[in-house]
Structure formats: C-alpha cells, structure tokens
C-alpha cells in the first residue's frame, strides 16, 4: 500500500515536472507537431545557441580524420556546457553517450539534445561485408536487413545517426573508397541506396522514433567517386551529362526514400568545392529536390576550402559554406568560432542560420530525442543486442550472398567433403583482422572468423595450412599505411611442400582490409607483395588451385585468370568471413553474386566500366590500327560488371516483347524464360540492359534498367517479367532536364552485362 502511494506520488511529481517543463519549454509539448515545436524553440535561442546547433565535435578518443589544432577535451566540454555543440561524432557506448548527452540536456539553458553520429558503414560491432561486397549480392532485401542489423547494434550503443550510405558511383579501382559504395552503376546503386536508407531508418520517417532505427546520411555530395586519376581528395572535373546521369541518381533516390541527412564531399566539382557549392546544395538538393533534412560537411571540409584556393581565410570559408547550405560543421571548428560575428557584421544572413537550425532540430525531433534524449542509452539493451546470435546469423547470411564465383573451369568446386588432402595457403587465410575491412571503429581487432577457422569446421578432409609469406610488415591500423612484405620468402618452401602433397590447393590472396578505404588510393592493382610470385611457384607444383580473393576493390589478375582453374571473389566479408567462404567452397551454399564493378586486365584500362559509349570507331572494320583499341591488351575487362558464375547452369530463352512499336508513355513489357539446367539448386540475377541507339546526347551502349534475383531449383524454369516506363527510357540533358526521345532501342537480357538475348523496339 505504502509502495503504491510512493508510485502514485512519483508519477504525479514526474507529471508535474513534465508539465512545468512544457510550460517553460513549450517545445517539449508532444501534442504539437514537429514544425510547431521547431517554431516554439527557435525564437527562444540566442544567436550563439543557434550556431552551436550547427557545430559538431569529434569525441575524445578515436579520430577519423586529421586531429584539429586546439580541439582539446577541455574546450569541447566547455562548449558543450554553453550549448555550443549540436552533435558529436565517434562517441560510442551507452556510458560515454549518456555522459555527453547529460551535459547537453541538463546543463545547458534550453536542454537541446545532441545527435550522436558515427560511421556505421558495414555494421557496428558485428560486421557485415564491406558495402561493395554486399552490392555484389544484388539482393536488396538482404542489404536492407544488413543495414537494419547495423542500426540495431549502433542504436543500442548510444548512436542516433550513421554517416551512411555512401552512394558514390565510382569506376576507378585506384580509388580506395570504391569499397564503401555500390560500384559503377547508377541504377543498381540507386536501388541499393534505397535499401540501405530503409534498413537504417525504417520505411517511413515515423520509424525514426523506434529505438532500433537511426538517421541515415547520403554521402558524399557530390561526385567524390570521380576524383581524378583515382587519387584521394583530388579534384573532380566531369561533364554535366555524367553528373546528372551517373552521379546524382542515387542521391535523388535517397531523398525520395526519406533520407534525413546528407554529407558533402572533400572534392571540388568543376572548380568549386562541394562544401561551398551553391549549385549542388541549394539549387539541386534543397531547391529542386526539396530536401528538408540537413547537410553535414565532411571532416574539416569547410576549412579545407582555404587549401583548395577557394576561400581566402577562415571567415571567408565559414561564410561560403553557410551560404552554400552546409548546415553543420564537422570538425572545422569554424562555425563555432566565426559565424556569430559574421552574422552580426551582416556578412551572413541570420535567416540562413535559422534555416540550418530548423533542419537540424527537425531531425532531432523526428528521432524523438527531445522526448527521450536517452532513448539509445539503455545498458541492458546494449548488452543484449551487440553481437547477439541473430546479428551474427544475419551477417553470415549476407557474407555468403556477397561471394562471386569468377571461374570454375575444371570443376574443382565445390570441394569434396571427405577423403581430400587440402593445402590452405596464404597469410590472409589465417588472418582474423583483415576480413573486418577498413571501417570498423567499434569492432575489436582480430574478431573475424578466418578462412582457416571456417575450413576447419569441415573435419573429414585433411587440411594443412602454410602462409607462404607474410602479406604485411608490422602492425597496421585505420590511420596508418599498410607496408608490404616484399623480401621475406622464407615460408615459400613449406608452402610448396604442402601444395605438392595436396589434392587441391586453396590460396587466399589479395589485399589487406586496411588497404582499401579512405586515404588508400593505389596505382597498382596487381596482387600486392610477394603473392603473385607465391601463386606462380605453387602452380608449378600443383595447378589444382582454388584462388580465394580478398579485396576492397577490383584487382587485375590476368595471370590467375588465365591459369588458375577456380577463382572465388570473397572481398572483405566481415565478422563471419571464414564460415561464409568455407560454406561456399564446400557447396553448402551455391554462390550467386555478380560483380558490381568491372575488373580490369591491367591498371592502364582504368577507369573501365560496362556503360561506356560507342566512339566513332568501335570496331576494326578495315584491319588496320585506326580504331578505338589498345595495341597491347584487349579493351574488354577481365571480368565484366554483372558477371558471376554458379555451381549450376542457367539457360535463357524466349525473350519476348508485347509489341515492337510503342508510343511515348506506353509501358514496354518484356519477358524471358530462365531454366536451371545444371545439378544444383541456385539463384540467378536476371539483368535487363537497354541501348538508346541515337539521341540528342549520346547514350551508353548498355545501361542496366532492371534486374531480378530468382531462386531456381535444378530443372526448374521461370518466366521473368520486366516493365520499361518513361522512367527507364529517358536521360538527363546538360541542363538537368529529363528527356524521353523517340527512336530505336536495343534490349539485352542475361546473366551478365557482356552477353545475353537481344531484341529491340521503336519508340514514337
Ligand atoms: C571523413 C569521411 O570522408 C566521411 O565519409 C566520414 O563519415 C567522416 N570522415 C567522419 O568519420
């Protein structure tokens, strides 16, 4: 009875405090709409507090960029207490998040909660495959689920907001950040971008209130994927046609999917830094696309406009960024230092500050942070969620779906499950760190299941492991360069002996997980270190090799493509790498991945991509040198976009269109029959490409405009239907107008971008 009274009193007290708060802080009234609450709060804010909302600081330990001068913990705490910080990044864990949130909510005048951001790129602690690998699954449902797992874990650890998805279309494998995106194609990239936004945020904005959802961030706006020569942070100089048709579509798709934030990029676009780019951020994003969330700068990118030679000093960089619509300053320390004075001097209009603050507050309200600033601060949930069985199973599933079978000429795969002597060779086979990839700040080192551990689960074969040679020298980390072993071959002999005595050799070769990602551009796409030499030495003693590639970008492997009978693309598959690889090698999972980026024959072909243009001399009609080609290597890729084999075989037949002549606006209906004519059940990605054969601005010779992932039991046939509408048949002109032009179209349907059944139609 006594207890009941206390409870009643407690409830009454809480209610009264809440009510008092609502009177003193009318924006806490949940009955009001979000827009009403914003308009109740904004007039109460001083200019300093408004600018504070536009300021984001890094946490106190991990950094994901250059550490700024003067960015001490003391300064951050002082600014937090004054209400001069709207967000923090890379603070993680319930305890740490609660501590900073408490300062914002309880020690500042208005108690505006922080929004806590983090690079949840391919998982939080339980890691999925790197995003490029996930893209190879072409499985939108699985990709959405993978993002949902990441959101689940991150949100349980105090995080409200991820800096993902990266939707940069990219076709230059020299650029290390191709691992973060969905590859070279804007159509596939757009579909994947939507799946990732929904996975992080939920299907609707209302879902953001849920405890296991976080705000997403489409990045890097824009064209970062086209840095010249694949050189990190370099300039971008591209045509309007490329911008409108290749770069922007995935960004637009995320806006339509409800993404709540955007991040701009380090690069200049045709001479103007993205961070100070009025055309990109104000005209297109906030104007044409009506995006009402907020834009965060990239790490120190506001200050970097000075080094670019676009802003003359800190004041100028600050003003240019705000005017261009960069709403929040990540780690430049400029808005907080300069913006108040610039407004007072009339150099930046306060209305622009108000616009930025409204956007930031909107997202905070949508996340429910005003109603419960500690919604992601539940230690019990943190413990129960991170690394739980469902999440482990989920990333394993995603990892298997991401694997691409590139070659299986002699049928070495799937491996027999018993009576085999298997030599497993390569330092990466026994590596528990590299498979985690490069974005894994919340994960512990050496926590991946290695390929060796995965293979050891299959106990009825005789397995021996030899590294052959170390891949790297010393330790490596997110912040440091990888140094390769180029001299120590002392393990070669033992590896050769193991290979000689084996029925099958499985070699795990490629790049270390820290060799791709931000700041990791390369000019050499061959197998690094001593690996090519090791491969050729092993081949001499036993050519029955299954090559398992680990890499964060397309590699050039011309020798292996010619000589090695089986090649499996296994990327960096995250926490469950070894189990996924072993299950595929042993046939417990039939691979169905398809490449989301073309693999070059050598680095000189880069950038190489399937959706290229014809040129005026596409073929050798006169048997002389005057046609578009290289004199030293074929111009086709080693492995094209959309390519990937299976343990079974798929036959395509009966490609049909409902008509051959269409009026503009009419739907083109296409069907094709696909049969599994091999010996395993499997999945196939059926792909539809179009070619608009002549247009006012030339169109690529192939453009992906539809795909479907189908399950086919052995012997089974399915009919797959596609519909082409104006949305797929048009393109953007150089002013950004969408045009559907009459003319003839070719279509191709198949299991890869390089071949398939062909047909065509006319559009009037
Ligand atoms: C710089 C990277 O470009 C960006 O993608 C990332 O989100 C930020 N650093 C924060 O770590």
């Amino acid at each position: 009875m006594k207890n009941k009274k206390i409870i009643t009193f407690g409830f009454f007290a809480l209610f009264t405090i809440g009510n008092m708060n609502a009177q003193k802080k009318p924006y806490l009234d949940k009955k009001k709409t979000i827009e009403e609450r914003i308009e109740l709060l904004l007039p109460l804010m001083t200019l300093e507090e408004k600018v504070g909302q536009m300021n984001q600081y890094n946490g106190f330990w991990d950094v994901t960029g250059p550490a700024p001068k003067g960015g001490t913990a003391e300064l951050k705490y002082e600014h937090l207490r004054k209400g001069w910080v709207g967000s923090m990044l890379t603070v993680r864990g319930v305890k740490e998040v609660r501590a900073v949130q408490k300062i914002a909510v309880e020690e500042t005048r208005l108690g505006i909660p922080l929004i806590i951001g983090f690079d949840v790129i391919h998982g939080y602690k339980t890691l999925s495959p790197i995003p490029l690998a996930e893209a190879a699954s072409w499985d939108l449902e699985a990709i959405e689920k993978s993002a949902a797992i990441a959101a689940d874990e991150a949100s349980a650890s105090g995080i409200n907001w991820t800096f993902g998805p990266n939707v940069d279309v990219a076709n230059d494998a020299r650029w290390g950040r191709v691992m973060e995106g969905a590859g070279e194609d804007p159509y596939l990239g757009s579909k994947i971008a939507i799946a990732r936004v929904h996975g992080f945020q939920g299907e609707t904005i209302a879902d953001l209130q849920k405890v296991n959802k976080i705000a997403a961030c489409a990045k890097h706006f824009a064209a970062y994927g086209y840095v010249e020569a694949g050189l990190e942070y370099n300039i971008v100089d591209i045509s309007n046609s490329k911008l409108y048709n290749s770069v922007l579509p995935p960004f637009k798709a995320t806006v339509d999917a409800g993404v709540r934030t955007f991040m701009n990029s380090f690069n200049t676009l045709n001479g103007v830094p993205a961070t100070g780019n009025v055309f990109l951020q104000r005209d297109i994003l906030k104007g044409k696309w009506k995006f009402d969330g907020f834009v965060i700068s990239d790490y120190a990118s506001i200050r970097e406009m000075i080094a670019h030679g676009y802003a003359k000093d800190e004041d100028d960089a600050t003003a240019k960024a705000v005017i261009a619509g960069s709403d929040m300053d990540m780690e430049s320390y400029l808005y907080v230092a300069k913006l108040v004075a610039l407004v007072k001097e009339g150099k930046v209009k306060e209305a622009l500050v108000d616009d930025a603050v409204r956007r930031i507050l909107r997202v905070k309200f949508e996340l429910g942070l005003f109603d419960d600033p500690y919604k992601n601060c539940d230690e019990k949930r943190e413990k129960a969620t991170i690394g739980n069985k469902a999440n482990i199973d989920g990333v394993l599933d995603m990892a298997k779906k991401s694997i691409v079978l590139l070659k299986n000429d002699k049928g070495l795969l799937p491996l027999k499950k018993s009576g085999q002597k298997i030599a497993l060779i390569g330092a990466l086979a026994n590596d528990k760190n590299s498979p985690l990839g490069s974005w894994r700040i919340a994960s512990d080192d050496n926590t991946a299941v290695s390929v060796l551990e995965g293979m050891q689960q299959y106990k009825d074969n005789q397995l021996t492991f030899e590294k052959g040679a170390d891949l790297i020298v010393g330790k490596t980390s997110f912040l440091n360069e990888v140094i390769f072993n180029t001299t120590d071959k002392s393990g070669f002999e033992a590896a050769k002996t193991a290979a000689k005595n084996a029925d099958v050799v499985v070699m795990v070769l490629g790049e270390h997980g820290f060799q791709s990602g931000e700041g990791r551009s390369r000019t050499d796409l061959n197998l690094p270190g001593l690996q090519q030499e090791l491969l050729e030495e092993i081949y001499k003693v036993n050519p029955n090799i299954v090559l398992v590639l680990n890499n964060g970008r397309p590699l050039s492997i011309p020798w292996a493509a010619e000589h090695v009978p089986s090649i499996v693309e296994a990327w960096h598959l995250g926490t469950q790498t070894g189990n996924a690889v072993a299950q595929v090698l042993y046939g417990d999972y039939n691979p169905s991945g398809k490449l989301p980026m073309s693999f070059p024959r050598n680095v000189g072909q880069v950038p190489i991509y399937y959706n290229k243009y014809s040129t005026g001399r596409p073929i050798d009609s006169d048997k002389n040198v005057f046609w578009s080609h290289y004199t030293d290597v074929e111009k086709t890729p080693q492995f094209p976009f959309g390519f990937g084999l299976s343990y079974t075989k798929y036959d395509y037949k009966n490609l049909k269109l409902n008509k051959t002549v269409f009026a503009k606006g009419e739907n083109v209906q296409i069907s094709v029959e696909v049969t599994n004519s091999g010996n395993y059940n499997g999945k196939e990605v059926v792909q539809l490409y179009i070619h608009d054969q002549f247009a006012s601005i030339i169109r690529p010779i192939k453009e992906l405009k539809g795909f479907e992932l189908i399950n086919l039991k052995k012997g089974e046939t399915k009919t797959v239907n596609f519909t082409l509408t104006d949305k797929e048949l048009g393109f953007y002109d150089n002013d950004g107008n969408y045009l559907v032009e009459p003319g003839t179209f070719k279509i191709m349907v198949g299991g890869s971008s390089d071949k398939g059944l062909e047909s065509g139609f006319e559009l009037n």
Side-chain angles (χ1 to χ4, degrees):
M1 196 59 200
K2 203 173 157 203
N3 275 352
K4 195 172 168 198
K5 252 190 208 153
I6 293 170
I7 290 166
T8 319
F9 174 75
F11 175 76
F12 181 73
L14 264 179
F15 178 79
T16 315
I17 292 166
N19 232 11
M20 267 166 40
N21 270 343
Q23 276 161 16
K24 272 211 307 225
K25 297 181 176 170
Y27 48 91
L28 292 183
D29 183 353
K30 286 196 221 167
K31 289 199 283 300
K32 300 254 185 308
T33 65
I34 287 177
E35 295 309 309
E36 285 167 346
R37 294 173 79 176
I38 294 170
E39 297 313 321
L40 286 168
L41 172 54
L42 198 64
L44 303 178
M45 297 172 77
T46 62
L47 181 57
E48 285 75 7
E49 284 164 342
K50 288 182 198 172
V51 169
Q53 285 305 303
M54 299 167 70
N55 179 34
Q56 185 191 55
Y57 283 147
N58 194 74
F60 307 102
W61 54 99
D62 306 305
V63 286
T64 56
K69 282 193 206 97
T72 60
E74 291 72 40
L75 178 104
K76 289 176 192 175
Y77 280 121
E78 184 199 323
H79 287 189
L80 269 169
R81 293 200 164 92
K82 287 182 167 158
W84 289 3
V85 185
S87 172
M88 294 196 80
L89 81 145
T90 324
V91 178
R92 66 188 152 97
V94 164
K95 204 169 141 240
E96 304 297 339
V97 170
R98 181 184 286 279
V100 286
Q101 191 65 292
K102 204 160 180 278
I103 299 175
V105 174
E106 294 177 22
E107 297 186 40
T108 68
R109 199 175 68 88
L110 296 167
I112 301 174
L114 299 168
I115 176 169
I116 305 289
F118 199 88
D119 288 288
V120 187
I121 307 297
H122 55 105
Y124 181 67
K125 191 152 189 175
T126 308
L127 296 174
S128 291
I130 58 169
L132 184 66
E134 288 196 354
S137 73
W138 298 52
D139 187 332
L140 301 176
E141 220 176 284
I143 292 171
E144 179 171 338
K145 192 170 165 220
S146 164
I149 291 171
D152 190 34
E153 290 203 354
S155 62
S157 193
I159 313 298
N160 319 121
W161 172 29
T162 174
F163 304 130
N166 174 327
V167 304
D168 297 323
V169 170
N171 55 31
D172 191 329
R174 291 171 296 183
W175 189 47
R177 299 194 81 168
V178 300
M179 55 82 53
E180 264 180 70
E184 73 191 33
D185 182 62
Y187 182 87
L188 177 63
S190 299
K191 300 282 177 204
I192 290 175
I194 296 167
R196 290 194 167 128
V197 168
H198 286 161
F200 289 131
Q201 294 193 166
E203 303 299 315
T204 65
I205 290 175
D207 284 341
L208 283 174
Q209 297 269 338
K210 293 183 181 161
V211 72
N212 61 351
K213 292 294 168 199
I214 55 181
C217 179
K219 71 186 189 185
H220 303 83
F221 198 60
Y224 189 25
Y226 286 87
V227 280
E228 198 171 86
L231 175 66
E232 184 64 301
Y233 312 130
N234 204 359
I235 63 155
V236 172
D237 218 331
I238 56 169
S239 69
N240 275 3
S241 178
K242 182 80 76 200
L243 179 71
Y244 286 117
N245 290 293
S246 297
V247 171
L248 295 182
F251 285 103
K252 173 69 164 61
T254 64
V255 173
D256 295 341
V259 75
R260 299 318 290 137
T261 73
F262 259 57
M263 185 185 291
N264 57 36
S265 51
F266 291 128
N267 56 282
T268 55
L269 173 64
N270 302 335
V272 179
T275 307
N277 205 307
V278 175
F279 162 69
L280 283 175
Q281 300 188 150
R282 290 247 181 246
D283 299 350
I284 293 187
L285 177 61
K286 294 176 178 176
K288 220 168 167 182
W289 297 351
K290 301 191 169 42
F291 172 68
D292 68 353
F294 71 89
V295 178
I296 172 108
S297 81
D298 203 346
Y299 202 107
S301 70
I302 298 176
R303 182 180 293 279
E304 286 170 15
M305 290 201 289
I306 303 171
H308 275 299
Y310 185 71
K312 74 171 187 295
D313 55 23
E314 294 183 342
D315 279 344
D316 195 26
T318 306
K320 283 191 164 128
V322 177
I323 289 165
S326 297
D327 301 311
M328 190 182 271
D329 172 0
M330 178 193 287
E331 280 289 292
S332 279
Y333 287 67
L334 286 184
Y335 284 6
V336 70
K338 301 289 176 189
L339 190 49
V340 170
L342 287 170
V343 172
K344 286 187 177 156
E345 289 159 17
K347 291 188 178 139
V348 174
K349 290 200 186 94
E350 187 159 357
L352 291 183
V353 171
D354 286 349
D355 175 58
V357 175
R358 277 195 181 92
R359 290 167 179 276
I360 294 163
L361 295 177
R362 184 172 296 128
V363 177
K364 290 185 177 184
F365 276 115
E366 287 167 348
L367 281 164
L369 288 172
F370 279 91
D371 307 324
D372 181 3
Y374 306 106
K375 72 177 249 208
N376 296 126
C377 295
D378 172 354
E379 259 111 357
K380 261 206 217 135
R381 184 173 162 244
E382 183 176 41
K383 233 173 138 204
T385 305
I386 294 183
N388 69 20
K389 167 97 172 49
N391 292 351
I392 299 274
D393 291 349
V395 300
L396 172 59
D397 184 57
M398 187 72 246
K400 289 188 282 192
K401 288 174 170 160
S402 305
I403 292 173
V404 186
L405 180 63
L406 294 177
K407 194 175 171 198
N408 196 21
D409 277 3
K410 294 206 284 178
L412 287 180
L413 292 174
L415 298 172
K416 295 194 190 81
K417 284 191 176 160
S418 61
Q420 295 279 292
K421 285 193 217 144
I422 297 187
L424 180 63
I425 293 173
L428 286 171
N430 190 25
D431 198 320
K432 293 172 68 61
N433 209 25
S434 167
L436 299 175
S438 119
W439 277 115
R440 30 89 160 244
I441 317 164
S443 230
D444 298 325
D445 283 349
N446 297 307
T447 48
V449 177
S450 69
V451 175
L452 174 60
E453 289 168 328
M455 299 279 289
Q456 281 167 341
Q457 302 303 309
Y458 292 81
K459 299 192 190 310
D460 296 334
N461 279 336
Q462 197 183 309
L463 181 71
T464 49
F465 166 72
E466 287 295 339
K467 67 179 177 189
D470 284 322
L471 177 59
I472 57 171
V473 178
K475 270 199 155 187
T476 181
S477 80
F478 182 67
L479 295 174
N480 301 321
E481 306 278 356
V482 171
I483 301 169
F484 291 106
N485 167 26
T486 52
T487 51
D488 181 4
K489 300 183 196 168
S490 55
F492 270 37
E493 278 315 308
K496 275 159 76 176
T497 308
K500 217 184 285 172
N501 294 329
D503 298 308
V504 180
V505 183
V506 176
M507 294 189 75
V508 184
L509 305 177
E511 293 182 307
H512 189 276
F514 279 130
Q515 207 182 343
S516 54
E518 188 180 345
R520 278 131 170 126
S521 294
R522 291 177 65 207
T523 60
D524 181 353
L525 299 177
N526 296 329
L527 293 171
L530 297 168
Q531 296 179 107
Q532 181 65 32
E533 196 179 334
L534 177 67
L535 175 62
E536 292 184 31
E537 287 295 301
I538 298 294
Y539 185 82
K540 282 183 200 153
V541 297
N542 189 345
N544 286 337
I545 296 177
V546 174
L547 171 61
V548 177
L549 288 173
N550 283 187
N551 42 318
R553 53 155 68 82
L555 294 178
S556 52
I557 48 161
W559 188 90
E562 191 184 334
H563 296 91
V564 174
S566 292
I567 305 177
V568 175
E569 175 51 73
W571 318 102
H572 297 123
L573 294 175
T575 306
Q576 282 292 309
T577 289
N579 288 331
V581 170
Q583 289 180 31
V584 165
L585 296 185
Y586 275 106
D588 284 338
Y589 190 87
N590 186 359
S592 57
K594 304 275 186 180
L595 294 179
M597 264 187 102
S598 307
F599 276 43
R601 294 173 191 274
N602 69 41
V603 71
Q605 290 183 307
V606 166
I608 186 166
Y609 44 98
Y610 86 95
N611 45 356
K612 60 185 181 187
Y613 298 87
S614 164
T615 79
R617 295 183 186 182
I619 47 167
D620 180 10
S621 45
D622 291 332
K623 300 282 169 249
N624 59 34
V625 294
F626 302 114
W627 67 291
S628 176
H629 72 301
Y630 295 109
T631 55
D632 56 351
V633 74
E634 277 180 60
K635 67 176 178 177
T636 54
Q638 187 84 62
F639 299 109
F641 174 85
F643 174 78
L645 302 170
S646 163
Y647 294 149
T648 193
K649 211 176 142 282
Y650 302 104
D651 299 327
Y652 285 73
K653 56 179 187 305
N654 287 334
L655 174 63
K656 286 189 197 144
L657 280 87
N658 59 332
K659 295 202 287 183
T660 49
V661 182
F662 295 85
K664 213 164 134 180
E666 262 185 297
N667 289 353
V668 180
Q669 311 278 7
I670 297 160
S671 67
V672 69
E673 282 174 27
V674 189
T675 302
N676 179 345
S677 59
N679 291 322
Y680 298 83
N681 299 335
K683 284 186 296 175
E684 167 74 332
V685 183
V686 183
Q687 303 159 40
L688 165 68
Y689 295 88
I690 68 165
H691 179 197
D692 181 350
Q693 289 188 287
F694 57 93
S696 54
I697 293 169
I698 57 161
R699 306 302 308 136
I701 54 167
K702 271 172 204 165
E703 289 181 277
L704 182 74
K705 290 295 173 179
F707 65 89
E708 202 172 320
L709 176 63
I710 55 166
N711 277 297
L712 278 181
K713 299 223 167 64
K714 55 182 171 177
E716 194 182 3
T717 297
K718 269 186 185 162
T719 301
V720 178
N721 297 303
F722 294 103
T723 305
L724 291 172
T725 67
D726 278 0
K727 251 174 94 186
E728 289 80 27
L729 295 175
F731 62 91
Y732 291 94
D733 70 10
N734 285 333
D735 297 318
N737 303 308
Y738 189 74
L739 308 176
V740 181
E741 293 183 345
T744 54
F745 287 77
K746 270 172 66 171
I747 64 163
M748 190 192 86
V749 178
S752 172
S753 68
D754 64 335
K755 55 176 178 290
L757 300 177
E758 293 184 11
S759 188
F761 62 89
E762 208 178 303
L763 189 69
N764 285 323

